[in-house]
Amino acid sequence: MEVTTDKERTTIVLFSGELDKAIAAFIIANGAAAYDHDVTIFFTFWGLNAMRKDEVVKTDKGLLEKMFGWKMPRGANKLGLSKMNMLGMGPAMIKHVMKKHNALALPQLIELAQEQGVKLVACTMTMDLLGLKREELIDGMELAGVGAYLGDATRAKVNLFI
């Protein structure tokens, strides 16, 4: 049985696996949580890469699934930028600028979201398609299909697709 509250709700679909877009999603999620919203981020397709563990996790996969794993960035620290990636120098530059301005880096934004109770949901269909296993994702992730996301989104006033 679901508990109903009078809290405002915000949902975010993170489809992109690009650093700047993931940072934006988590800044919005943390802001909404700070304003006492119930927040859900639903990670699908390339957005799941932000939630992968940095280290290699031994799993039982077929060749095609392994190939996807080799080609996709492993975790928040390995994402490229949507613009000005500059052969990989762009992410280092944006991380430097963020540090200079005392802005939280993506791993810290993820940690803050977890501390604030933001619900982090990995799309099970995408996980199947890309050959990702639960143990490859950071701790604290929920697994669900699009129906679960739609249940949250239906009750939300703010729904974002990033």
Side-chain angles (χ1 to χ4, degrees), residues 33-83:
Y35 278 98
D36 203 31
H37 288 211
D38 282 334
V39 182
T40 298
I41 306 178
F42 185 76
F43 299 87
T44 189
F45 283 90
W46 316 121
L48 277 168
N49 290 323
M51 306 312 285
R52 291 179 73 195
K53 292 179 180 173
D54 292 332
E55 69 277 359
V56 176
V57 176
K58 185 164 175 48
T59 58
D60 183 31
K61 293 183 178 185
L63 179 61
L64 186 58
E65 293 169 321
K66 286 180 184 177
M67 288 174 62
F68 267 119
W70 293 329
K71 295 302 284 178
M72 294 187 303
R74 189 179 313 283
N77 289 314
K78 298 284 181 6
L79 302 179
L81 289 177
S82 61
K83 306 284 186 212

Side-chain angles (χ1 to χ4, degrees), residues 120-158:
L120 307 174
V121 182
C123 176
T124 52
M125 184 194 73
T126 300
M127 289 177 66
D128 290 343
L129 291 174
L130 300 179
L132 291 172
K133 306 291 183 192
R134 174 189 280 277
E135 55 268 24
E136 293 179 274
L137 301 176
I138 66 168
D139 295 336
M141 295 285 301
E142 295 181 28
L143 305 183
V146 70
Y149 165 72
L150 290 173
D152 286 343
T154 300
R155 294 183 307 274
K157 285 188 177 176
V158 179

